[in-house]
Amino acid sequence: MKGVLFDLDGVIADTAVFHFAAWRKLVRDHFRAELPDELEEKTKGVSREDSLKVILDYLQLSVSDEEFAALAAEKNEAYVETLEDLKPAHILPGIADLISDFKQAGLKLGLASASKNGPIILDKLGLADAFDAIADPAKVAQGKPAPDIFLAAAAALNLQPADCVGLEDSVAGVTAINAAGMVSIGIGGAELAHASERFESTSDLSYPAIEAAWQANR
């Protein structure tokens, strides 16, 4: 194992709740509708544009390309505003120590997030210097569940996909890691049964456990 690729929302910090809260506000303001809790899983780990498509499909609505772009931009503005209070205390349990252990072991770390706000969030969390590469989701052809973002992160680290492990908390993300030919570490419930190895929460993660998962599944 030479590299570890991290998703951001729900793996490093629980910013996914901020995303869905921003979507809910957008839908209330523009369409006077409510989004059910179960829709959050379908917007988790995917791009802003793909999330908006999921929401519009649920609402059985179609909008022009101009309206679509405006809605996506408005949602992002609302989301970025909520990040003003983000700080290192918002890092999920065990992740700071895990990152430190990886760095001490000489592993390369990459961010493979669908969030275009990844660099801002890492900076606010005090983790920007820990990552050797951040894949730009705006520069990949397809978002998760396609493998593109993970392949881009591995390439940015000058590593082969088979030498990397990916950490994800979403169904789409785990699917993307698997499609990239990497060992997938799922963080969450039974919906992530397709991961190479699954852990219930970030506090269950450790360098030895992830190394063992890579050895067992490579």
Side-chain angles (χ1 to χ4, degrees), residues 74-141:
E74 184 179 329
K75 179 267 173 182
N76 189 55
E77 287 173 14
Y79 170 67
V80 170
E81 282 179 16
T82 68
L83 298 179
E84 287 303 314
D85 297 327
L86 203 64
K87 50 187 179 291
H90 287 105
I91 298 171
L92 286 167
I95 291 296
D97 288 341
L98 185 67
I99 288 173
S100 178
D101 290 346
F102 285 150
K103 297 298 287 183
Q104 287 181 18
L107 297 178
K108 292 183 177 180
L109 303 187
L111 189 72
S113 170
S115 175
K116 296 182 178 72
N117 298 300
I120 297 170
I121 294 170
L122 287 183
D123 188 56
K124 286 185 172 293
L125 295 174
L127 294 175
D129 292 341
F131 283 79
D132 302 291
I134 298 174
D136 185 350
K139 293 183 178 178
V140 299

Side-chain angles (χ1 to χ4, degrees), residues 26-46:
L26 186 85
V27 167
R28 286 191 197 108
D29 290 350
H30 286 269
F31 307 116
R32 296 185 179 180
E34 292 291 333
L35 298 178
D37 292 344
E38 56 266 26
L39 203 66
E40 183 173 0
E41 183 60 42
K42 293 182 179 179
T43 63
K44 210 169 167 183
V46 300

Side-chain angles (χ1 to χ4, degrees), residues 1 4-5 7 11 98 102 150 164-170 173-174 177-178 182-188 192 194-199 201 204-206 209-214 217:
M1 186 170 74
V4 183
L5 309 181
D7 175 44
V11 173
L98 185 67
F102 285 150
F150 284 98
C164 299
V165 165
L167 276 59
E168 266 284 0
D169 72 318
S170 72
V174 169
I177 297 170
N178 291 342
M182 303 174 182
V183 172
S184 57
I185 303 296
I187 305 161
L192 304 181
H194 57 314
S196 305
E197 196 79 32
R198 183 177 67 84
F199 297 84
S201 71
D204 296 325
L205 298 171
S206 70
I210 291 172
E211 170 73 24
W214 183 76
N217 293 281

